[in-house]
Amino acid sequence: MSILEFLGIAKPREGSRSERAAASAETETVRKIVTALESMDPERARFIAAFAFILCRVARADLHISTSETRLMEREVMERGGLPEEQAILIVQMAKTQNTLFGGTENFLVTREFNKIATHEQKLTLLECLFAVASDEMISTVEDNEISRICSELQLSHDEFVAVRMSYRDQRAIFKKSDPPAE
């Protein structure tokens, strides 16, 4: 679909029968997932949405969310949220979109909400997941700083932050050896 079609300015192009059938099947799949999410307990849905959004906050700290970061977030949401893969994928995609569009203004607000609804153990679990997502290749300084800000917003101690960060010491960019200059 072109942007003009999306905005309703241009009429949709007619596709082949198989294209229309595939689009219809995809739409039905999305509807089923949305229905399943809507039937979820509102408190649980709020928790999972905030969890996914904060994961995206760290993944996007460097202004780019890689495919490997996306896969890691989907896995964490699936495992921590006890969700089927299809729902986890949809939640992460929605969180990525929201973070891209509104991250600058929503980051603190969503994290503050998560701080209110999460237990101390859930906050520590999120902290572990943040480092896991950031360590897709290596944890950049900007990602490390973002995790530190989130930790502070979640009212976790600096000692708790350092303890989790130490388990990812080898993935931190600051400790990576740079290649010697070419001669």
Side-chain angles (χ1 to χ4, degrees), residues 42-61:
E43 293 300 315
R44 182 170 179 248
R46 183 177 301 125
F47 176 88
I48 292 170
F51 185 91
F53 186 89
I54 297 168
L55 291 178
C56 289
R57 178 178 168 180
V58 168
R60 195 168 179 280

Side-chain angles (χ1 to χ4, degrees), residues 5 9 65 73 87 98 105 122 144:
E5 291 170 356
I9 296 170
I65 300 176
M73 290 186 291
Q87 286 181 344
Q98 291 300 305
T105 56
Q122 290 169 326
D144 190 65

